[in-house]
Amino acid sequence: MIRLMRLSRHGLRCLLAFVVFVATLAPCEAAASVNAPVLLRILTPRTGEMIHSNQDKVAVRLLVLPASAFQKGLKIRMMLDGKIRPRVRRRASFTMDHVYRGKHALQAALVTKNGRIVTVSPVVVFYLWHASHFFHAASIQHAR
């Protein structure tokens, strides 16, 4: 019984946080044309996540609600470190190229055909790590 109450409190808090988040989304003309509030969140990469990639690529997954937003002509525009990426996406899962090692801030925006912003996601900060050419297992073996 006590565990159920704790779970209920946690579930209630999560629901309340979600409602507050959705309520703070500012409506605009483009959102009115979609006929429903649109929710956009970055699922991966997660905030604070360390991504290991030697190919300078990052897999991105987004949550877009309602899913019919793409049928209404909306597209996804990504911003990495405050710079707009040139490629516009039509799916919620894709791979971003040319993401180099270090700390990065990622944000997504749903835009109309005319370029008007419907909604933006919160900023996600992640880190990209890849092996250095100065540190190899072979060099460790030769040092012994």
Side-chain angles (χ1 to χ4, degrees), residues 2-125:
I2 293 173
R3 287 185 183 178
L4 182 61
M5 288 174 48
R6 286 184 186 169
L7 181 63
S8 297
R9 288 181 189 166
H10 177 70
L12 185 60
R13 286 181 186 158
C14 289
L15 181 63
L16 182 61
F18 178 75
V19 169
V20 168
F21 173 76
V22 171
T24 59
L25 293 175
C28 66
E29 293 175 19
S33 68
V34 176
N35 296 327
V38 179
L39 176 67
L40 179 64
R41 303 280 279 173
I42 299 174
L43 298 177
T44 58
R46 294 184 305 267
T47 298
E49 182 177 7
M50 176 73 70
I51 298 172
H52 297 263
S53 172
N54 289 333
Q55 291 81 29
D56 298 329
K57 295 182 180 185
V58 175
V60 177
R61 252 183 49 223
L62 304 171
L63 171 67
V64 181
L65 293 176
S68 62
F70 294 115
Q71 295 173 352
K72 299 193 189 281
L74 297 180
K75 298 176 186 172
I76 298 170
R77 177 154 299 214
M78 300 301 296
M79 281 184 55
L80 183 68
D81 300 327
K83 297 177 184 170
I84 296 174
R85 301 293 285 212
R87 188 169 177 194
V88 179
R89 312 289 178 154
R90 295 175 192 225
R91 295 186 323 165
S93 294
F94 52 89
T95 302
M96 283 181 39
D97 296 330
H98 308 292
V99 181
Y100 303 107
R101 73 169 69 190
K103 179 180 178 180
H104 297 284
L106 183 66
Q107 188 173 31
L110 273 176
V111 295
T112 62
K113 293 176 184 177
N114 300 334
R116 290 185 179 164
I117 296 175
V118 175
T119 187
V120 294
S121 72
V123 175
V124 170
V125 176

Side-chain angles (χ1 to χ4, degrees), residues 135-143:
F135 184 74
H136 293 287
S139 64
I140 294 173
Q141 292 174 353
H142 290 9

